[in-house]
Amino acid sequence: MGALFRSEEMNLCQIFLQSEAAYACVSELGELGMVQFKDLNPDVNAFQRKFVSEIMRCEEMERKLRYIHRELKKDGMKIPDRDENPKAPAPKEMIDLEATFEKIESELKEVNTNAEALRRNYLELTELKEVLKKTQIFFAEHGRHGIVDDAQHALAHDEGGGGFVPVTSVQLGFVAGVIPREKVPAFERLLWFANRGNTFLKHDEIDQPLEDPVSGDAISKCVFLIFFQGEQLKARVRKICEGFKATLYPCPESASERVEMLNGVSTRLEDLNTVLHQTEDHRKRVLMSAQKEIRPWIIKVKKIKAIYHTLNMCNFDVSHNSLIAECWTPVSGLEEIQSALKHGTELSGSTVPSILHRMQTKEVPPTYFKTNKFTTVFQEIIDAYGIATYQEVNPAPYAIISFPFLFAVMFGDFGHGFIMFLAGLWMVITEKKLTSGKSDNEIMSMFVGGRYIITMMGLFSVYTGLIYNDCFSKSVNIFGSGWHPSYDFRTLQKETSWTMNPADHFDNTTGPYPFGVDPIWQSSMNKITFTNSLKMKMSVIFGVSQMLLGVLLSFVNHAYFRRPLNVFCEFIPQLVFLMCLFGYLVALVFYKWLFFTAECPQYAPQLLIQFINMFLLTYTPRVMPANFTGDLYACTSIEPTSINATSQTVFFEHQQPIQITLVILALLMVPTMLLVKPFVLRARHNARVKVSMLLKVVVLKIAQHCLSMIKCPP
Amino acid sequence: MMNYMPEMTFNVDHGYLEGLLRGFKSGILRQNDYLNLVQCETLEDLKLHLQSTDYGNFLANEPSPLTVSVIDDKLKEKLVVEFQHLRNQCVEPLSTFLDYITYSYMIDNIILLITGILHQRPINELIPKCHPLGSFEQMEAIHIASTPAELYNAVLVDTPIAPYFLDCISEQDLDEMNIEIIRNTLYKAYLEDFHSFCRELGGATAEAMCEALAFEADRRAFIITINSFGTELTKEDRAKLYPRCGDLYPYGLQLLAKADDYDQVRQVADIYGHYKELFEGSGTGPGEKTLEDKFFEQEVNFMKNSFMQQFQFGVFYAYVKLKEQENRNIIWIAECVAQRHRAKIDSYIPIF
């Protein structure tokens, strides 16, 4: 609590790093994670900084690692995560790393190009095989003559326009090939347009999807046969095929040649398959060697890059051959930082120690909260609304209770709450396992991140659920209801619903239900009206208390920063405003709960209307009947009409003057909050300007005087 | 009410995309970035600086050494990815509007391919040079056509720009002169069509876009006239190529049609205040900006102004144009850096 109440006290420090020890020192500081470096050369381009070549080398390494990573993913190889956190390697190890990555990358590339060539070959052969098979089927179905006749018939009819063309005189040629399935319609249409319908296309789908040699994706393709007539058309058809990236395959005319070719292709395919397998195995071996190491490598390279980025923020002192860094550090962590620096210097073998030197500054330090795994979530929620300025009061410690509680006020069901609690508890217990595996599931990781808050919300929901007496939206009768209907059986049979007057049916001997809402309300028809009224009043009380807490915290801030003006012009008016209106409302809620009993249900004030009337300044007083003695506002069972008592009339003595005073007070606070502070600030500013103006005038006068003295001849 | 005040309901359909686009727009490089870029010694420096801008890691996966063409491809790719995202998310009429933007790239691609084929280049070499925003399915089969009529009947008839091609069918064969004529006829038809589409949309879109397209039309008219001097193009044919949706139409175009040399074009421009300035500030001498650059500058200004108004489609057009200019700038600087020819490195056109 102490650490979370205000942000850590910060200090601007200057660190003199010996250039040979700088890398190791920054690495140590980075592991510590308590230092925020300031960029001392913000105007220098990214590519003009001192360590730009190292950063470029890191980026090149990252590129290679990404490539290897992609290849690993492509093969579906799992990258083991052993939760390792290797330290940044020494700068000279960078060369080794580079060499290793270079070797793996070039090996992989070589294997890939080989495999790609092989796969392309394989694809072509498979396609050829399919072409041969399909054409065989085409021709077998129709007979060599059949299909050519069909084509001839179609073409001749189209061309001749009814004229008789002797079938035998037409020599039809054909090409066969393979084309991606989605291109078939456009291909067919273009063939038709371009050749004026003088070609005949037949196509059929290849059953199993083929593999793209480069990406490895599955693609569906079609085998096609185009029949045409004459050399000119052949050239055209070939051009169109080329345009659509269709691959043409030689297809012999006679069936026996086709069968022979098919056999040859099949044997070649088998050979190729074995070669492909061998290449795959080789690739696997190359990848295996990278598989175990890739995660530490990625972390190492990232760390090196981060260190050089940090070093780029430093000033270089040529005369002392050292780097000067400026950074913000928490005062409480100074010793750890010192020892980290010392450790870094030792590691690098430098004899001159790095010096940490505290500086005085007027800059506002950054806000830093030391959080643990429990408080982090709450701090994050608060930060989402705005980060407190340095040393301001932090609302997060209060939110640890108020956030889950207010959630529970809304949720309020102990059955559901318990389930939620169990889910949260499971996440808390298995947190090691859940947080270590960086899951890609965004929603799940969100839940895991908020596991403590979920547990707390569940727990509080059980509590409020018990108060609301809601378990899976049903009530539970634990202590026995305080209501006992005294209707006899015959009366009850007449109607389905009966009003239970508390005076007759409420058992005063046992008292009210000991904890929470009486379960009898579950079976009543006005359950919603009743619970709504209860919950609304509770919400008003909680809401106002929370606002009050906020306002009071602002006082703590004003007191801490010694701003009396803010206390008088912000805090007090805010407090008065809040208390006069909403504090008063809360008081009325309690008054109603305490002083209006079952004896005078008609008198009970309607707070909403009463509150509105307070602003409208409309009051209906009660009437004192002639010979009436006793308290006009006491809750007694006198006839309400005789004293004009309704839910909207005045219900306690001096209500009118008190309320009018409160409203006026509250309204007065509005201009106080709005106007006083700016005018005071303006007056202060003017006073300061006046002094400086006065100074300016005096200086000018003197200058003028001097000038005139010079100008005047003596 | 919806018809009278499209601004009222604009956000229902297009608000998200406009917001997204304005976010993209804030990633456009600023003067400061350019000042840093021109200081680069190598392309690696350039990459490093671009990393600190909105481009982020777009070059991170490229093995060194970098080349200008790789940068160019990646720049284009980034623009295309953004554009495709917008196109995939949008609904009518914005989707048609975005399609219209791609048509100009399609025209450019077609012309590029025909010219390439005319010079006996293999199609596989040409395809990668096409702008990816304007690629279409039939594009690669373009080399089967040897006359404009064939081109229309076989290749383009199914594409959205087929209607623009109707005026070109009459051309006899594809030679350099005719290709230029086809390009300009296509552009003319395209600009006029786009112009009328925007006018039909009405509202703020019409205001912003008609102005931008009018400028584009006039620019083409001027450039066509200037480039036609000393060629075989007759004056009548030339007059047919002028897009008729600019400020020059009709009177200025009649005058342009009669022009015989640069000075006469200049006289035409003198009548129109905003074009007069461009001609006055331009020249071919050292230290002077070319007329083309002047027009680009003016275009950039137009496009920037387009962002001043909300609830209209002009911003989408403007963004693509500005981004294109930015790509040109980066490539210019990259070329200067790569060729160690720094004398002219400053003649990029700053945007913001």
Side-chain angles (χ1 to χ4, degrees):
Chain A
M1 170 84 183
L4 214 54
F5 186 60
R6 284 185 200 286
S7 59
E8 292 282 310
E9 199 181 326
M10 298 297 273
N11 218 321
L12 184 64
C13 291
Q14 214 171 22
I15 306 179
F16 292 89
L17 299 159
Q18 290 306 309
S19 54
E20 69 271 16
Y23 182 91
C25 287
V26 171
S27 164
E28 286 297 318
L29 291 179
E31 298 292 340
L32 192 61
M34 269 178 136
V35 186
Q36 180 184 334
F37 285 89
K38 269 173 75 177
D39 193 354
L40 295 180
N41 352 290
D43 306 325
V44 183
N45 277 336
F47 54 86
Q48 283 166 342
R49 297 197 174 204
K50 193 167 159 36
F51 295 100
V52 71
S53 61
E54 281 84 355
I55 286 177
M56 282 206 193
R57 276 166 66 193
C58 288
E59 269 170 12
E60 184 64 20
M61 283 196 276
E62 281 188 324
R63 188 189 62 73
K64 282 176 189 148
L65 284 176
R66 269 200 304 271
Y67 175 74
I68 300 170
H69 194 253
R70 250 200 326 270
E71 293 297 315
L72 278 170
K73 275 244 164 113
K74 213 200 249 170
D75 273 23
M77 287 167 97
K78 274 247 161 76
I79 291 154
D81 181 9
R82 289 189 303 273
D83 219 12
E84 61 266 270
N85 186 10
K87 282 204 167 185
K92 47 181 184 292
E93 277 178 48
M94 231 167 110
I95 300 165
D96 294 343
L97 284 180
E98 272 175 330
T100 322
F101 299 160
E102 179 69 49
K103 190 172 148 256
I104 297 178
E105 196 208 11
S106 59
E107 259 179 60
L108 263 181
K109 277 207 168 135
E110 201 188 304
V111 175
N112 276 355
T113 35
N114 283 344
E116 198 190 309
L118 284 174
R119 271 206 296 267
R120 177 158 291 140
N121 212 333
Y122 185 78
L123 176 79
E124 276 169 11
L125 283 177
T126 339
E127 282 181 2
L128 177 56
K129 193 174 133 195
E130 289 293 331
V131 167
L132 289 172
K133 264 197 209 159
K134 296 275 176 199
T135 41
Q136 191 74 348
I137 296 169
F138 285 153
F139 287 132
E141 268 176 9
H142 304 270
R144 169 77 172 101
H145 271 289
I147 192 162
V148 175
D149 280 351
D150 270 0
Q152 270 173 355
H153 185 71
L155 296 180
H157 183 74
D158 202 63
E159 191 184 35
F164 179 74
V165 182
V167 172
T168 44
S169 69
V170 187
Q171 254 311 314
L172 281 187
F174 69 92
V175 290
V178 173
I179 190 170
R181 189 173 62 189
E182 70 273 11
K183 282 189 177 174
V184 169
F187 182 58
E188 194 168 3
R189 209 159 44 224
L190 190 70
L191 268 177
W192 179 265
F193 284 138
N195 302 320
R196 299 197 181 82
N198 286 329
T199 46
F200 180 75
L201 176 89
K202 186 140 177 74
H203 62 87
D204 193 19
E205 210 169 301
I206 299 177
D207 302 323
Q208 80 269 31
L210 301 165
E211 196 184 57
D212 187 274
V214 185
S215 62
D217 296 338
I219 32 175
S220 308
K221 287 192 165 185
C222 280
V223 170
F224 64 84
L225 264 176
I226 305 169
F227 293 94
F228 48 79
Q229 179 191 346
E231 279 304 305
Q232 212 183 341
L233 274 179
K234 186 175 180 179
R236 257 166 181 278
V237 166
R238 279 182 173 278
K239 268 188 178 178
I240 294 173
C241 292
E242 194 188 329
F244 273 87
K245 294 230 173 70
T247 16
L248 294 181
Y249 290 99
C251 183
E253 299 231 350
S254 76
S256 58
E257 274 178 82
R258 280 200 296 271
V259 173
E260 204 175 301
M261 201 164 166
L262 193 59
N263 288 337
V265 168
S266 298
T267 45
R268 268 169 68 198
L269 263 178
E270 269 162 33
D271 293 348
L272 205 57
N273 230 341
T274 42
V275 181
L276 253 177
H277 275 301
Q278 276 166 5
T279 342
E280 279 296 309
D281 285 346
H282 181 52
R283 183 183 144 89
K284 276 253 151 56
R285 273 198 299 279
V286 175
L287 282 176
M288 288 267 254
S289 66
Q291 189 184 16
K292 275 177 227 141
E293 293 291 321
I294 186 138
R295 192 177 287 274
W297 279 341
I298 292 175
I299 297 171
K300 275 182 185 168
V301 173
K302 279 225 161 74
K303 281 190 174 172
I304 301 175
K305 197 174 159 193
I307 290 170
Y308 282 118
H309 265 302
T310 313
L311 289 177
N312 269 339
M313 293 186 192
C314 304
N315 267 335
F316 189 64
D317 185 353
V318 187
S319 58
H320 295 92
N321 193 27
S322 63
L323 288 157
I324 304 167
E326 275 182 26
C327 54
W328 292 105
T329 57
V331 174
S332 59
L334 272 179
E335 269 178 35
E336 287 171 72
I337 292 164
Q338 290 277 20
S339 68
L341 280 177
K342 217 167 121 195
H343 191 219
T345 320
E346 278 165 17
L347 274 184
S348 65
S350 163
T351 45
V352 193
S354 302
I355 303 153
L356 184 95
H357 160 71
R358 289 167 74 159
M359 288 164 78
Q360 293 297 321
T361 179
K362 286 197 168 163
E363 278 178 75
V364 182
T367 314
Y368 170 63
F369 293 109
K370 247 190 205 161
T371 51
N372 54 30
K373 63 182 178 183
F374 178 69
T375 49
T376 313
V377 198
F378 297 97
Q379 190 63 53
E380 271 170 14
I381 292 175
I382 298 294
D383 287 350
Y385 288 90
I387 295 172
T389 39
Y390 180 61
Q391 295 264 295
E392 238 179 15
V393 167
N394 179 19
Y398 309 99
I400 292 175
I401 297 301
S402 67
F403 187 92
F405 178 64
L406 288 180
F407 168 84
V409 167
M410 291 181 273
F411 196 75
D413 186 315
F414 69 87
H416 292 135
F418 191 65
I419 291 176
M420 191 162 164
F421 170 70
L422 286 183
L425 199 65
W426 170 73
M427 283 192 282
V428 169
I429 290 167
T430 55
E431 68 180 355
K432 272 229 171 91
K433 206 181 85 200
L434 289 175
T435 46
S436 65
K438 274 125 216 125
S439 106
D440 295 331
N441 190 339
E442 224 173 286
I443 295 174
M444 195 55 203
S445 62
M446 208 162 79
F447 282 129
V448 172
R451 57 195 181 278
Y452 287 104
I453 219 168
I454 290 174
T455 320
M456 297 270 283
M457 289 194 300
L459 211 55
F460 277 94
S461 299
V462 171
Y463 172 64
T464 51
L466 283 171
I467 289 182
Y468 295 159
N469 207 343
D470 252 355
C471 175
F472 301 115
S473 302
K474 295 278 177 206
S475 296
V476 181
N477 192 354
I478 306 170
F479 305 108
S481 175
W483 293 76
H484 300 286
S486 48
Y487 296 112
D488 59 3
F489 186 67
R490 239 182 316 138
T491 335
L492 284 175
Q493 265 190 327
K494 277 187 218 155
E495 290 281 344
T496 46
S497 69
W498 288 93
T499 313
M500 300 220 294
N501 189 343
D504 306 329
H505 305 280
F506 189 70
D507 184 7
N508 259 325
T509 52
T510 50
Y513 197 69
F515 187 82
V517 173
D518 197 306
I520 190 117
W521 288 102
Q522 174 67 31
S523 48
S524 73
M525 284 176 73
N526 58 344
K527 183 199 180 190
I528 299 286
T529 334
F530 170 72
T531 50
N532 271 0
S533 144
L534 175 74
K535 288 175 185 175
M536 185 107 75
K537 289 189 179 83
M538 273 169 56
S539 310
V540 168
I541 294 166
F542 292 135
V544 174
S545 341
Q546 201 187 0
M547 281 195 269
L548 186 66
L549 176 72
V551 173
L552 290 177
L553 284 182
S554 82
F555 173 75
V556 179
N557 268 338
H558 300 323
Y560 183 82
F561 293 111
R562 302 194 189 292
R563 292 183 196 134
L565 181 67
N566 287 13
V567 175
F568 292 111
C569 305
E570 272 178 23
F571 167 67
I572 292 179
Q574 277 174 356
L575 190 69
V576 172
F577 185 85
L578 184 69
M579 290 331 286
C580 284
L581 301 180
F582 300 101
Y584 175 67
L585 180 63
V586 172
L588 287 189
V589 169
F590 280 105
Y591 182 81
K592 186 180 170 184
W593 277 345
L594 290 176
F595 294 107
F596 291 88
T597 58
E599 277 148 36
C600 53
Q602 295 93 332
Y603 298 12
Q606 246 184 326
L607 289 182
L608 189 65
I609 307 289
Q610 293 276 354
F611 198 58
I612 291 170
N613 283 344
M614 177 174 163
F615 291 101
L616 298 179
L617 302 176
T618 47
Y619 296 94
T620 351
R622 297 195 178 174
V623 197
M624 179 77 93
N627 45 12
F628 183 80
T629 52
D631 193 354
L632 191 58
Y633 301 104
C635 185
T636 48
S637 44
I638 39 166
E639 185 58 34
T641 44
S642 67
I643 55 167
N644 185 26
T646 65
S647 62
Q648 297 185 18
T649 51
V650 170
F651 62 96
F652 65 90
E653 230 173 341
H654 308 305
Q655 190 186 359
Q656 186 166 1
I658 290 173
Q659 288 193 347
I660 290 176
T661 323
L662 290 175
V663 169
I664 290 173
L665 252 177
L667 287 182
L668 272 179
M669 289 307 127
V670 177
T672 323
M673 279 188 276
L674 264 178
L675 296 175
V676 177
K677 196 180 164 191
F679 277 108
V680 173
L681 288 180
R682 180 165 168 260
R684 279 188 196 167
H685 175 75
N686 283 349
R688 227 173 304 156
V689 173
K690 249 180 214 152
V691 173
S692 65
M693 281 291 280
L694 211 69
L695 270 174
K696 255 188 214 163
V697 173
V698 172
V699 170
L700 273 177
K701 279 264 166 71
I702 296 170
Q704 248 175 2
H705 184 68
C706 294
L707 277 175
S708 60
M709 296 280 272
I710 298 164
K711 268 186 207 159
C712 286
Chain B
M1 173 127 121
M2 280 178 75
N3 293 330
Y4 295 109
M5 294 183 76
E7 288 82 5
M8 289 272 289
T9 52
F10 183 89
N11 276 350
V12 177
D13 289 336
H14 317 297
Y16 165 65
L17 290 180
E18 196 192 347
L20 199 66
L21 187 95
R22 282 177 188 270
F24 285 160
K25 174 222 161 198
S26 61
I28 288 179
L29 297 186
R30 290 169 187 272
Q31 181 64 41
N32 234 352
D33 295 312
Y34 285 117
L35 289 181
N36 281 328
L37 284 181
V38 296
Q39 287 175 32
C40 293
E41 299 281 332
T42 62
L43 290 182
E44 297 292 326
D45 289 353
L46 195 90
K47 169 180 163 184
L48 209 58
H49 181 77
L50 284 178
Q51 247 171 35
S52 63
T53 65
D54 215 43
Y55 281 100
N57 290 332
F58 83 122
L59 287 172
N61 281 337
E62 295 307 319
S64 32
L66 270 180
T67 58
V68 178
S69 64
V70 170
I71 299 179
D72 190 24
D73 287 346
K74 285 281 159 186
L75 287 172
K76 267 187 201 155
E77 189 186 308
K78 187 160 188 292
L79 173 63
V80 170
V81 167
E82 286 172 354
F83 186 86
Q84 292 299 355
H85 181 76
L86 294 173
R87 178 65 187 82
N88 293 340
Q89 302 284 328
C90 65
V91 291
E92 284 292 344
L94 181 57
S95 41
T96 312
F97 183 88
L98 291 182
D99 283 344
Y100 264 107
I101 294 179
T102 62
Y103 296 165
S104 75
Y105 294 97
M106 285 171 71
I107 295 175
D108 284 342
N109 284 350
I110 292 172
I111 300 299
L112 182 116
L113 290 174
I114 307 178
T115 323
I117 291 157
L118 193 69
H119 291 107
Q120 314 291 325
R121 290 286 208 52
I123 189 110
N124 295 337
E125 210 176 279
L126 297 168
I127 293 291
K129 287 185 184 153
C130 289
H131 199 291
L133 265 188
S135 61
F136 53 97
E137 223 173 20
Q138 297 92 334
M139 196 168 83
E140 293 171 29
I142 228 166
H143 61 320
I144 55 164
S146 52
T147 66
E150 253 180 349
L151 193 64
Y152 176 77
N153 283 328
V155 186
L156 298 177
V157 69
D158 265 353
T159 61
I161 56 171
Y164 307 149
F165 211 84
L166 285 175
D167 293 335
C168 316
I169 296 180
S170 53
E171 299 296 338
Q172 279 315 305
D173 50 8
L174 293 168
D175 57 19
E176 276 211 43
M177 176 86 165
N178 277 342
I179 290 174
E180 268 311 302
I181 291 175
I182 288 173
R183 179 213 293 274
N184 287 311
T185 324
L186 282 177
Y187 250 105
K188 172 194 168 184
Y190 159 68
L191 283 176
E192 285 172 4
D193 188 30
F194 198 5
H195 191 266
S196 68
F197 171 75
C198 290
R199 212 172 42 223
E200 270 167 36
L201 283 179
T205 305
E207 271 171 45
M209 279 312 293
C210 288
E211 201 181 1
L213 290 173
F215 174 76
E216 178 70 28
D218 290 343
R219 167 165 74 178
R220 294 204 79 86
F222 278 123
I223 301 289
I224 289 169
T225 317
I226 293 170
N227 287 346
S228 73
F229 299 140
T231 61
E232 300 160 21
L233 194 66
T234 61
K235 281 185 182 172
E236 294 81 56
D237 283 346
R238 194 173 77 200
K240 278 187 208 155
L241 300 178
Y242 296 150
R244 288 163 309 185
C245 54
D247 297 340
L248 292 179
Y249 177 75
Y251 180 63
L253 290 183
Q254 285 170 16
L255 288 180
L256 269 187
K258 288 179 207 145
D260 282 318
D261 54 23
Y262 186 76
D263 281 331
Q264 285 180 4
V265 177
R266 219 183 154 122
Q267 279 165 18
V268 179
D270 280 350
I271 306 171
Y272 299 88
H274 45 299
Y275 296 125
K276 188 178 169 188
E277 282 169 32
L278 297 181
F279 275 81
E280 270 169 6
S282 70
T284 46
E288 282 178 308
K289 287 189 169 143
T290 59
L291 184 64
E292 209 171 340
D293 279 355
K294 274 281 177 191
F295 268 114
F296 276 137
E297 254 174 43
Q298 185 69 18
E299 186 184 32
V300 165
N301 277 332
F302 258 121
M303 295 303 137
K304 268 175 6 188
N305 288 340
S306 180
F307 280 97
M308 298 292 166
Q309 211 173 354
Q310 226 190 329
F311 307 133
Q312 46 111 358
F313 296 157
V315 288
F316 293 92
Y317 180 76
Y319 177 70
V320 174
K321 289 279 164 191
L322 286 180
K323 208 67 189 165
E324 212 185 316
Q325 181 61 46
E326 179 173 293
N327 291 358
R328 273 198 294 268
N329 288 342
I330 295 176
I331 292 306
W332 174 262
I333 294 174
E335 284 285 3
C336 286
V337 168
Q339 297 175 9
R340 311 213 159 278
H341 184 83
R342 308 189 69 91
K344 279 194 160 183
I345 200 167
D346 284 325
S347 36
Y348 59 88
I349 296 165
I351 299 173
F352 285 107

